Amino acid sequence: MPDRFIINGLGGKKKLSGSIEVKGAKNAALKALAASILFKDGIALKNVPDIEDVKRMNDILEEIGVSVIDEKRGKYTLTTPQKVKTDLPTDLAQRMRASIVLLGPLLSRFGAVSLPHPGGCVIGERPIDLFIDGFEKMGAQYFHDGKQHVFKAPKKTLHGATIVFKKPSVTATETLMMAATLAHGKTILKNSAQEPEIVALAEFLNACGAKISGAGTSTIEIIGSKSLRSGREVYQTPPDRIETGSFLILAALTGKKVEIKKCDPTHLEILTETLKHSGVHIDVEKDSILVSNPTSVKFQPTDVETREYPGFPTDLQAPMTIFLTQAHGQSHVFETIFEGRLAYVPDLIRMGARIDVCDPHRIIVHGPTALSGREVKSPDLRAGLAFVIATVIAKGQSVIHNVYNIDRGYERIEERLQAIGVNIERVT
Ligand code: UD1
């Protein structure tokens, strides 16, 4: 039987205290691991979180021939040989959306790749048309053979191109940016995503000889080169901003005084501003955030609309909805990025929340409502952590099933939460 969490909730009391450390960002580390394919020599990474998705990415890399050495404590060394398999293993690649980022490095360095439609969280359709359009513009041929997406670069190299994304996509921006570092000539990516994970990747690639400018803005320019060498550069995984934001919301709802350490508050300004407007006491330092809660404070309702960075992250939409169930009044939540990201709402209603579902993108939350403990099943990785927050607020005992979905993105979450006073236990 898969693992589950048993949580004894605080029944609305604000009791948590102490400090909690943020781990390296899943969505940054996975791309840096994939980038190893671009390098003639080995690359070293630090602060990589010990999570299921990192294990799956390393499994795929090893399966195609990359040497992955786990140096322990979040350090890895990866070396790609002269030749690797360019067919991604179907079962592994289907388990993780981020497998799609291997497409760019493999195609630009080895001239071919075939992969199944990438899996991952069931939060919407998750097409790959932006990838197909982009790589065709860079000279690749594409077809679907009934099972796999197949890409081939004639003469084994891609050429530079101007690519205008019809919407900003994080993984499409990263994948094409990586591919362009080894393409012939100049590539311009317009309407790119601007997430901090893209900047971290570009800075590392530039430190290793790539010529990327504009990462973190909507237009990125890349001048391709023949090869990349990392030398002594080490990729330092930035702190996970989604984990930080989830801890911030948990602390606002259930903390007396909680310090969130080893984070980058500049990546979360939209959340801290939104929470401050609702009445949460937040003190921001360079790499930590302190949340303190006088018991008298009544949180104000607020409207939230998910947007690409620097807008409100879709990955924090579910945790934010939990916060809004405790605000005094009516809040609107508009999920603009994915159409399947409100799947957690029925369980939250069963816990006692008053939420009107308007359509697959919009809900109205009426607060405050006391929540009561229940058995729930984590529908996706981010909603999984939202359920942890909801069950900590709730009165009584809850069971969260399908903890694998939480382990995919958060390193030993129960141990870190226990340290600030959460009554949570993993049952294997
Ligand atoms: C990444 C993150 C995920 C986060 C999301 C949005 C990783 C591994 N995952 O996912 O945690 O929720 O960004 O911040 O980094 N789209 C297309 N065609 C495509 C690709 C995407 O239409 O070819 C659409 C998607 O359906 C979605 C929007 O673009 O509506 C944005 O998705 P995208 O940024 O690509 O999400 P991911 O990169 O998959």
Side-chain angles (χ1 to χ4, degrees), residues 183-203:
H184 187 68
K186 189 203 278 190
T187 300
I188 304 176
L189 305 176
K190 294 188 179 176
N191 198 22
S192 299
Q194 304 177 40
E195 269 64 3
E197 296 77 35
I198 300 170
V199 179
L201 181 63
E203 282 174 353

Side-chain angles (χ1 to χ4, degrees), residues 27 31 97 126-130 167 169-171 315 337:
N27 285 349
K31 323 307 171 47
R97 171 75 186 176
R126 309 199 93 171
I128 65 160
D129 55 319
L130 299 176
K167 53 165 114 166
S169 156
V170 177
T171 41
D315 286 349
I337 313 276

Side-chain angles (χ1 to χ4, degrees), residues 45-180:
L45 295 88
K46 269 165 84 173
N47 198 32
V48 176
D50 184 11
I51 54 174
E52 288 296 320
D53 271 16
V54 163
K55 290 186 190 133
R56 294 297 83 78
M57 178 60 94
N58 285 337
D59 288 346
I60 299 176
L61 287 165
E62 284 190 312
E63 180 75 25
I64 63 173
V66 176
S67 145
V68 179
I69 301 173
D70 180 353
E71 316 268 9
K72 304 290 174 212
R73 296 176 174 226
K75 291 186 186 163
Y76 287 86
T77 308
L78 289 92
T79 314
T80 300
Q82 294 291 335
K83 217 169 165 229
V84 296
K85 280 190 224 163
T86 55
D87 296 345
L88 295 191
T90 306
D91 49 335
L92 289 172
Q94 270 175 342
R95 285 172 76 172
M96 189 174 58
R97 171 75 186 176
S99 59
I100 189 77
V101 294
L102 293 163
L103 164 55
L106 281 170
L107 188 59
S108 64
R109 173 141 182 222
F110 295 103
V113 62
S114 65
L115 74 167
H117 198 77
C121 288
V122 189
I123 55 177
E125 204 185 322
R126 309 199 93 171
I128 65 160
D129 55 319
L130 299 176
F131 298 78
I132 298 169
D133 288 353
F135 286 114
E136 282 183 339
K137 289 218 171 70
M138 294 179 81
Q141 289 157 356
Y142 165 80
F143 62 94
H144 193 266
D145 70 1
K147 280 189 184 151
Q148 304 271 98
H149 298 283
V150 183
F151 294 81
K152 285 202 162 64
K155 296 193 204 138
K156 290 202 168 180
T157 46
L158 297 171
H159 59 71
T162 295
I163 295 160
V164 184
F165 293 117
K166 75 172 193 282
K167 53 165 114 166
S169 156
V170 177
T171 41
T173 302
E174 292 162 330
T175 307
L176 283 142
M177 183 175 86
M178 285 194 274

